[in-house]
């Protein structure tokens, strides 16, 4: 029936369409129906062909071949029905990854395609522009946020972001001051600029407005090595340059690695200034004493935003999480009006793995955005093995011989050098490798950092190999791999089962004599193009490594009445500036850019976006900025489905589960909405003191020592802190939580609704309120235990304004007694 209607529609178009020959161009057309990799059945006569993540697609199977032919026939039928033969040229049929085709058609034919039944999209072919910190586009900054502040060349103007990190590489173009409109002075900022010991030049240049290093504790501990760690703000690691560029790097900086350009880099607030407070070092990390000194100096200097991609290695004392020198220093920083963003930690996906706890800090979880890099190895038997590798492809339509490193060792005595790692070209036979694909093994040396993918590529290139394959035969549970830029064709097969398929094929195809020596290599393969990212609608997704809640109030791991993390931001596979001095990441030694993953990368996204909010609303408190970010965040992905979180199933299998506030806090950041939140939940120093005083287990004398204020008990309970979330970790019968909302826009009437998981009843009061501009109103939320489940329940309070604002508070509670 559906096919008949399609044909009828085509007939109408042909009868009523006037065809005029015009200029032709190439268009990519997608049509209804699933491609081979995602087809799960449903078409009569064709078996399902879908593959799971990283599963091998056997393109030689009858089911794949027949369904692929079916799709191509549909493409041809559509074109033949619409157009006369010879008036168009079909270039490709896309059947495996997408369902569609590329065709050279006229302008008039394009319009006919767009109107045709069953056509999903018609896009003009475009030149490939490889993507870098693609997150400005993913977050909608260039079109939805920067124009409101005067464009990218004004985004973050005169806002200073302080970075307590591993320093900065000041010569990088992301931090240059060669714009058509150079950066001028900032009278409000009092930062110092150290002088480079060799060049005698200042580390500051107008873009960088402060640069100091803090290492006294490290020196005293005997951990500091000036020849490696640099007794200056110079970045000896790369991490500090990376985070600074994500938040405030200049716009439009070409990302070039190994001769390939991966697009243009930009910070979230590309016009913001950078103040560097180096307190982390290459080999040993840092000491809290140095970090606290750096924070103290930053607040003194007058930074507006403080970025902390740093946290404790592990709970080391019995002290409460909220009251230690580090968090107490940050409480004072917030009291001084500084917005603080801190990385949540990389201990995920395990519960209670956070290293950022306090309510005055914005704790940032890491998301995988819509850009994924994949590659594939096609074997001579037709099997396709998925893998990763940012590399060019081998020559099209040409197969290359596979040669294993352990079969071309020059001398058996060098087996002690682990030749299968392909780290030492001198132990391998160049004559047997030249012109072939070198097959290497991923050993424990890669895990401990004594071997690298970059060195494999250098080895293969020096031996004349066409490319290389690095097969993972054993992997520790939870080990995950990031793609690495490679100058020659190369791929890392990360799935152990797929690696064994490769090895079995190689063994079966390789002829040997009675001693085991190879007589002839018969295994062949081709390496795909891994340079181009694939954009997914299933984004954002909470990254597996991102630390999870519940938040803890002390180092006995007792749950706190405070939700953490606060918010989710991109933190996986982020391209940004790197220091060529750095040796901490072997794959990027000597490079100016690196693609890194971690909550360290997520925090500066929030710091940069906070700078944009601060620029628009210069008098907002840190709590108001935090509220704007949280209450406007998204809990749905780009496809309109609930955000997922990467999780382990069993020991080492990565799966996806529905994300909760313990994974993403309030949700994924939405910069455009955060600039205009409608309402905010504001809080100040006295509110935070009230939170501390009402938290069980707090030592009053210790609190007085840090705050120099007597206790403020007016909150009654810590969950009454005026934060943009509600958490009651020990709900007994019924509890009423209070909040105060402040209107930061024009007078508006809000309808208030609440929903919660069935185990707990929720009621918000009032059900509606009209709030005048600048006014504040009280809101109460009553939670009642319906059934004791010994599990957390999740819900939300939603305030919808008649002028279009939506304000959402996540609600988390565990019922203990009815």
């Amino acid at each position: 029936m559906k096919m008949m209607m399609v044909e009828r529609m085509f007939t109408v178009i042909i009868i009523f369409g006037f065809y005029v020959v015009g200029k032709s161009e190439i268009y990519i057309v997608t049509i209804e129906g699933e491609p081979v990799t995602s087809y799960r059945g449903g078409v009569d006569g064709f078996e399902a062909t879908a593959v799971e993540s990283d599963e091998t697609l056997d393109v030689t199977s009858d089911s794949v071949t027949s369904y692929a032919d079916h799709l191509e026939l549909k493409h041809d039928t559509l074109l033949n029905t619409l157009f006369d033969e010879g008036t168009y040229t079909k270039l490709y049929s896309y059947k495996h990854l997408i369902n569609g085709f590329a065709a050279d058609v006229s302008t008039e034919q394009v319009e006919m395609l767009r109107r045709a039944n069953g056509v999903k999209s018609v896009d003009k072919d475009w030149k490939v522009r490889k993507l870098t910190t693609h997150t400005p586009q993913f977050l909608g900054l260039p079109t939805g946020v920067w124009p409101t502040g005067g464009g990218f060349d004004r985004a973050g103007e005169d806002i200073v972001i302080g970075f307590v990190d591993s320093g900065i590489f000041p010569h990088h173009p992301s931090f240059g001051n060669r714009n058509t409109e150079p950066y001028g002075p900032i009278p409000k900022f009092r930062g110092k600029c150290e002088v480079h010991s060799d060049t005698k030049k200042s580390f500051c240049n107008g873009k960088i407005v402060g640069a100091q290093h803090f290492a006294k504790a490290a020196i005293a501990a005997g951990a500091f090595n000036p020849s490696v760690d640099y007794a200056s703000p110079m970045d000896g690691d790369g991490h500090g340059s990376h985070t600074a560029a994500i938040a405030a790097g200049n716009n439009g900086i070409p990302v070039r690695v190994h001769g390939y350009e991966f697009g243009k880099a930009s910070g979230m607030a590309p016009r913001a200034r950078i103040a560097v407070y180096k307190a982390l070092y290459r080999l040993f990390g840092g000491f809290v004493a140095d970090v606290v000194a750096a924070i103290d100096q930053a607040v003194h200097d007058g930074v507006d935003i403080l970025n902390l991609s740093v946290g404790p290695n592990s709970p080391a004392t019995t002290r409460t999480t909220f009251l230690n020198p580090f968090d107490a220093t940050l409480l004072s920083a917030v009291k001084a009006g500084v917005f603080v963003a801190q990385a949540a930690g990389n201990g995920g996906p395990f519960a209670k793995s956070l290293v950022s706890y306090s309510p005055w800090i914005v704790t940032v979880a890491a998301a995988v955005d819509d850009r994924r890099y994949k590659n594939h190895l096609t074997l001579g038997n037709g099997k396709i093995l998925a893998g990763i590798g940012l590399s060019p492809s081998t020559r099209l339509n040409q197969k290359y011989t596979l040669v294993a490193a352990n079969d071309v060792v020059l001398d058996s005595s060098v087996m002690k050098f682990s030749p299968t790692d392909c780290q030492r070209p001198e132990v391998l036979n160049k004559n047997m490798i030249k012109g072939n694909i070198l097959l290497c093994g991923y050993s424990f040396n890669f895990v401990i950092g004594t071997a690298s993918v970059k060195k494999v590529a250098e080895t293969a290139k020096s031996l004349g190999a066409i490319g290389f394959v690095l097969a993972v035969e054993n992997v520790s549970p939870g080990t995950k791999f990031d793609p690495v830029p490679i100058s020659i064709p190369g791929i890392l097969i990360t799935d152990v089962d797929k690696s064994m398929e490769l090895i079995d094929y190689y063994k079966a195809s390789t002829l040997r004599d009675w001693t085991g020596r190879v007589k002839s290599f018969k295994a062949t393969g081709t390496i795909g193009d891994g340079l181009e990212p694939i954009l997914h609608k299933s984004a954002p997704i909470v990254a597996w490594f991102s630390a999870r809640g519940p938040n803890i109030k002390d180092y006995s791991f007792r749950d706190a009445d405070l939700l953490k993390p606060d918010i989710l931001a991109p933190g996986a596979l982020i391209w940004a500036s790197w220091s060529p001095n750095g040796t901490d990441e072997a794959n990027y030694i000597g490079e100016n850019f690196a693609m890194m993953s971690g909550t360290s990368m997520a925090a500066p996204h929030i710091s940069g976006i906070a700078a944009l909010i601060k620029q628009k609303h210069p008098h907002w408190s840190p709590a108001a900025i935090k509220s704007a970010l949280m209450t406007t965040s998204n809990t749905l992905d780009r496809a309109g489905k609930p955000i997922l979180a990467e999780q382990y199933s069993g020991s080492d299998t990565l799966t996806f589960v529905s994300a909760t506030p313990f994974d993403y806090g309030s949700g994924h950041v939405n910069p455009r909405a955060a600039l205009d939140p409608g309402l905010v939940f504001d809080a100040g120093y006295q509110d935070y003191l009230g939170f501390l005083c009402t938290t069980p287990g707090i030592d009053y004398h210790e609190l007085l020592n840090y705050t120099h204020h007597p206790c403020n008990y007016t909150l009654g309970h810590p969950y009454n802190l005026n934060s943009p979330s509600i958490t009651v970790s020990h709900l007994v019968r019924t509890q009423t939580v209070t909040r105060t909302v402040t209107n930061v826009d024009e007078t508006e009437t809000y309808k208030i609704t609440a929903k919660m998981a069935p185990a707990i009843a929720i009621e918000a009061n009032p059900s509606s309120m009209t709030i005048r501009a600048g006014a504040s109103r009280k809101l109460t939320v009553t939670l009642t235990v319906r059934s004791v489940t010994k599990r957390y329940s999740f819900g939300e309070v939603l305030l919808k304004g008649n002028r279009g604002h939506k304000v959402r508070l996540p609600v988390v509670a565990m019922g203990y007694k009815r």
Side-chain angles (χ1 to χ4, degrees):
M1 182 67 181
K2 189 174 181 180
M3 189 64 189
M4 289 175 60
M5 291 186 67
V6 170
E7 291 173 348
R8 195 172 299 136
M9 175 62 77
F10 291 164
T11 304
V12 171
I13 292 173
I14 293 170
I15 292 172
F16 292 100
F18 294 91
Y19 179 72
V20 180
V21 176
K23 181 183 177 183
S24 68
E25 292 182 285
I26 299 170
Y27 284 80
I28 297 172
V29 181
T30 60
I31 67 173
E32 289 179 356
E34 297 299 321
V36 168
T37 52
S38 57
Y39 171 61
R40 299 185 180 278
V43 179
D44 288 342
F46 298 99
E47 297 176 0
T49 58
V51 293
E52 300 301 326
S53 178
D54 288 341
E55 185 178 335
T56 302
L57 175 66
D58 183 0
V59 294
T60 62
S61 72
D62 291 339
S63 58
V64 168
T65 302
S66 61
Y67 184 67
D69 291 342
H70 164 71
L71 293 180
E72 183 160 6
L73 179 61
K74 286 182 66 177
H75 304 161
D76 293 337
T77 300
L78 173 60
L79 286 165
N80 291 335
T81 306
L82 283 175
F83 312 129
D84 293 334
E85 186 177 351
T87 62
Y88 69 91
T89 304
K90 189 188 81 169
L91 305 176
Y92 301 104
S93 269
Y94 304 120
K95 300 163 288 188
H96 297 97
L97 301 178
I98 62 171
N99 177 21
F101 55 84
D104 190 359
V105 292
S106 69
T107 304
E108 293 76 17
Q109 290 173 322
V110 168
E111 294 309 311
M112 294 173 70
L113 279 167
R114 288 198 171 109
R115 294 194 299 268
N117 195 18
V119 172
K120 293 171 64 177
S121 66
V122 182
D123 295 300
K124 185 178 179 181
D125 196 14
W126 61 95
K127 291 182 179 178
V128 174
R129 186 174 73 107
K130 299 178 181 68
L131 303 172
T132 175
T133 303
H134 163 67
T135 44
Q137 288 74 25
F138 179 67
L139 296 172
L141 295 174
T143 56
V145 176
W146 291 346
T148 65
F152 73 84
D153 52 350
R154 288 290 180 269
E157 186 76 64
D158 293 339
I159 302 297
V160 180
I161 306 177
F163 296 88
V164 178
D165 217 302
S166 66
I168 198 164
F169 185 68
H171 315 300
H172 199 283
S174 288
F175 314 124
N177 187 10
R178 299 187 179 91
N179 297 28
T180 53
E181 191 172 340
Y183 294 95
I186 300 183
K188 67 176 183 178
F189 186 71
R190 302 176 293 275
K192 302 183 185 70
C193 296
E194 291 185 23
V195 175
H196 196 290
S197 58
D198 295 330
T199 64
K200 307 304 179 185
K201 291 184 178 180
S202 171
F203 275 83
C204 297
N205 60 2
K207 174 69 172 179
I208 303 171
V209 294
Q212 302 171 64
H213 83 287
F214 301 82
K216 291 181 180 179
I219 293 170
F224 186 84
N225 182 344
S227 64
V228 176
D229 298 313
Y230 300 111
S232 76
M234 179 64 74
D235 188 0
D237 177 286
H239 190 272
S241 300
H242 205 268
T243 57
I246 291 170
N250 290 329
N251 184 67
I253 305 303
V255 178
R256 294 192 180 96
V257 180
H258 297 313
Y260 299 101
E261 184 175 314
F262 291 88
K264 301 289 193 296
S266 175
M268 302 298 103
R271 189 68 179 177
R273 313 299 181 93
I274 294 169
V276 177
Y277 302 89
K278 179 179 174 180
L280 303 181
Y281 296 88
R282 182 187 299 172
L283 298 179
F284 60 88
F287 291 84
V288 170
D290 290 331
V291 172
V292 169
I295 295 168
D296 183 77
Q297 185 66 50
V299 175
H300 169 270
D301 292 346
V303 299
D304 300 293
I305 312 289
L306 194 58
N307 185 82
L308 296 170
S309 292
V310 57
N313 290 335
S314 62
T317 71
T318 57
R319 193 187 306 274
T320 173
T321 55
F322 309 130
L323 201 60
N324 55 69
F326 181 73
D327 282 75
T329 301
L330 293 174
L331 174 57
S332 297
V334 173
K335 182 182 180 183
V338 177
F339 175 93
V340 180
Q342 184 184 16
N346 296 335
F350 307 107
K352 297 187 179 183
S353 52
L354 295 157
V355 297
S356 175
Y357 317 99
S358 298
W360 45 89
I361 300 165
V362 177
T363 301
V364 189
V368 179
D369 65 21
D370 62 342
R371 185 192 60 194
R372 321 283 163 81
Y373 286 99
K374 292 188 177 182
N375 206 341
H376 62 274
L377 170 70
T378 303
L379 301 178
N381 61 6
K383 292 287 183 71
I384 298 176
L385 304 181
I388 55 175
L390 268 68
S391 83
S393 66
T394 51
R395 189 172 297 176
L396 294 177
N397 302 318
Q398 185 170 338
K399 294 180 180 180
Y400 294 90
T401 301
L402 299 176
V403 176
N406 58 349
D407 283 330
V408 291
V409 179
L410 288 173
D411 188 331
S412 60
S413 66
V414 301
M415 289 301 289
K416 61 182 180 179
F417 296 120
S418 300
T420 56
D421 283 355
C422 299
Q423 302 292 294
R424 298 169 62 89
E426 65 272 19
V427 304
L428 301 176
N429 189 325
K430 183 174 183 178
N431 293 331
M432 300 179 74
I433 294 171
K434 187 175 182 180
N436 298 320
I437 293 176
L438 180 61
L439 180 57
C440 310
Y442 190 94
S443 71
F444 188 66
N445 293 333
F446 289 88
V447 179
I448 63 176
T450 57
S452 70
V453 177
K454 180 177 182 177
K455 184 61 178 176
V456 174
E458 291 173 353
T459 296
K461 191 172 184 178
S462 68
L463 295 173
I466 290 295
F468 70 88
V469 179
L470 187 55
V472 179
E473 297 179 60
N474 295 287
V475 63
S476 302
T479 302
K480 293 294 172 277
F481 303 91
D482 283 350
V484 175
I486 305 163
S487 60
I488 64 173
I491 186 169
L492 174 65
I493 307 297
T494 59
D495 187 297
V496 173
D497 291 338
K498 307 302 179 287
S499 292
M500 295 314 298
E501 280 192 55
L502 166 62
I503 293 167
D504 289 344
Y505 165 70
Y506 177 82
K507 288 180 177 178
S509 305
T510 303
L511 303 180
R512 302 176 184 272
D513 61 20
W514 65 274
T515 67
R517 181 172 296 181
V518 175
K519 295 173 61 178
S520 63
F521 297 97
K522 297 294 184 180
T524 61
T526 61
I527 298 171
D529 185 348
L531 295 171
E532 300 302 326
I534 301 170
L535 300 185
H536 285 243
K537 285 188 176 180
S538 57
I541 296 172
V542 181
W544 66 274
F545 56 79
S546 185
R548 310 296 213 265
N551 193 17
I552 56 173
K553 65 184 176 185
D554 56 39
Y555 289 150
S556 295
F557 286 89
R558 288 180 290 188
D559 292 4
D561 290 325
L562 178 71
L563 179 63
K564 290 286 177 173
D566 292 306
I567 200 163
L568 183 68
L573 306 183
I574 305 297
W575 277 114
S577 162
W578 196 250
S579 173
N581 298 322
T583 60
D584 204 46
E585 173 49 66
N587 290 314
Y588 292 100
I589 294 174
E591 301 295 344
N592 280 305
F593 289 92
M595 184 169 64
M596 306 298 292
S597 298
T599 54
S600 284
M601 285 67 243
H605 279 89
I606 295 299
S607 296
I609 295 166
L612 301 177
I613 299 174
K614 182 77 172 177
Q615 179 188 17
K616 184 176 180 180
H617 306 285
H619 303 297
W620 279 14
S621 68
I625 296 174
K626 176 181 178 179
S627 175
L629 288 162
M630 290 179 63
T631 61
T632 59
S633 60
N634 298 323
T635 57
L636 301 178
D637 65 18
R638 298 190 74 174
K641 298 179 180 179
I643 291 175
L644 299 175
E646 294 181 336
Q647 184 59 266
Y648 293 145
S649 174
S651 61
D652 59 358
T653 303
L654 192 66
T655 60
F656 299 97
V657 298
S658 295
T660 75
F662 290 148
D663 302 316
Y664 57 50
S666 58
H668 190 267
V669 65
N670 181 348
R672 184 172 186 173
L675 288 174
D676 181 24
L679 303 174
V680 296
F681 295 82
D682 211 349
Y685 188 66
Q686 288 299 324
D687 300 291
Y688 297 131
L689 287 183
F691 171 84
L692 290 170
C693 292
T694 56
T695 296
I698 291 282
D699 186 315
Y700 174 79
H701 298 289
E702 201 167 14
L703 176 61
L704 189 64
N705 180 53
Y706 280 121
T707 65
H708 308 290
H709 279 75
C711 249
N712 170 10
Y713 296 104
T714 56
L715 281 184
H717 299 279
Y719 51 67
N720 283 326
L721 175 68
N722 203 42
S723 65
S725 62
I726 295 173
T727 300
V728 183
S729 63
H730 199 99
L731 178 63
V732 176
R733 298 188 182 93
T734 296
Q735 296 289 342
T736 298
V737 180
T738 61
R739 290 292 185 270
T740 300
V741 294
T742 301
N743 190 352
V744 292
D745 207 310
E746 298 177 16
T747 300
E748 192 165 3
T749 299
Y750 285 85
K751 181 181 179 182
I752 305 171
T753 57
K755 61 181 180 180
M756 196 79 185
I760 294 175
I762 186 170
E763 181 182 0
N765 188 46
S767 59
S768 68
M769 63 171 70
T770 299
I771 316 178
R772 290 181 296 179
S776 299
R777 290 283 303 274
K778 289 282 185 182
L779 169 69
T780 64
V781 178
T782 302
L783 302 170
T784 303
V785 178
R786 282 178 171 165
S787 60
V788 178
T789 62
K790 295 186 179 180
R791 294 194 305 268
Y792 276 99
S793 295
F794 304 105
E796 68 177 22
V797 175
L798 183 64
L799 296 86
K800 294 181 69 173
N802 64 330
R803 298 184 62 249
H805 290 109
K806 291 183 181 179
V807 178
R808 186 178 51 80
L809 280 80
V811 181
V812 178
M814 185 187 291
Y816 273 84
K817 189 175 183 180
R818 295 181 65 181

